[in-house]
Amino acid sequence: MTEAEPIQKLEDLIGYKFKDNDVLEKARTRIAFLNDQQKMDEEKSMGPLATVGDAVLSCVVACKLYNEKNRTKQKITELRSKEVRRERTRDFAEKHKLGQFVWWGKGEEKLDVKTKGTKAYDAVTEALIGAVFLDAQNRRMNGIKKVEEMLDRMKFFD
């Protein structure tokens, strides 16, 4: 099994320090890895956080578009769909080599999922977004704003 890179390196990369390392560990853990460890517990995997992250990303993008004077429902919907598509989140994970921070399953490692940019990378980006959002919210910070700042710093919108 390949070791995932340490949490601190990920925090340095994204420019956000987690208070709740448990939520970050979940964001880094694939369900396949848990299956390999015989610890099948979806709640400890990135899946639920990816669902949260998908919704948060959609919200961040919609707010950003509105603030950039895209004030019709049609325009926001059209532009948002371009910003949050799977290819974009997958490319983001590849660009920043987020796969090195993930606990992959043995089968995923054999298929070289972490370097081939499969759709699993989409979930990696979304889970990280979900983790930042929840950690910030639980600290009484504006989670949407923290995610937007992270994405701006990492040039998601460029």
Side-chain angles (χ1 to χ4, degrees):
M1 173 184 73
T2 305
E3 289 288 315
E5 288 290 329
I7 287 176
Q8 185 178 357
K9 281 182 76 174
L10 179 55
E11 290 175 328
D12 291 345
L13 175 68
I14 67 173
Y16 181 83
K17 173 80 172 125
F18 282 81
K19 180 177 183 185
D20 181 357
N21 284 338
D22 187 50
V23 75
L24 180 54
E25 276 302 323
K26 289 175 184 174
R28 308 180 342 133
T29 305
R30 300 277 297 158
I31 193 76
F33 175 81
L34 293 175
N35 288 341
D36 293 345
Q37 306 298 310
Q38 298 177 342
K39 297 177 182 176
M40 180 57 181
D41 185 353
E42 184 183 4
E43 290 181 17
K44 293 182 179 177
S45 75
M46 69 173 54
L49 286 169
T51 301
V52 172
D54 180 49
V56 170
L57 178 58
S58 187
C59 181
V60 166
V61 169
C63 290
K64 195 168 186 66
L65 291 169
Y66 186 85
N67 289 333
E68 291 172 354
K69 307 296 185 221
N70 295 293
R71 300 275 170 92
T72 68
K73 179 180 178 182
Q74 179 181 354
K75 192 68 171 171
I76 290 172
T77 301
E78 175 188 318
L79 292 172
R80 185 186 66 208
S81 69
K82 290 178 185 176
E83 293 287 331
V84 298
R85 68 187 196 285
R86 174 172 283 156
E87 295 81 13
R88 180 112 188 216
T89 50
R90 185 180 60 221
D91 290 348
F92 179 81
E94 287 176 3
K95 175 182 171 185
H96 295 289
K97 298 178 175 46
L98 297 180
Q100 68 185 326
F101 300 101
V102 174
W103 295 106
W104 298 97
K106 290 176 190 169
E108 292 171 319
E109 286 183 344
K110 283 181 186 172
L111 294 172
D112 205 17
V113 169
K114 62 182 177 180
T115 60
K116 289 192 177 172
T118 63
K119 69 179 184 176
Y121 263 51
D122 173 54
V124 170
T125 298
E126 290 176 345
L128 182 59
I129 289 169
V132 169
F133 172 77
L134 291 174
D135 187 74
Q137 286 293 118
N138 289 338
R139 292 162 72 179
R140 304 215 186 302
M141 299 162 81
N142 183 333
I144 296 291
K145 188 71 177 155
K146 289 297 176 187
V147 168
E148 183 179 5
E149 289 169 359
M150 176 191 77
L151 295 174
D152 280 339
R153 241 186 333 274
M154 297 178 77
K155 310 231 182 288
F156 182 87
F157 301 106
D158 292 351

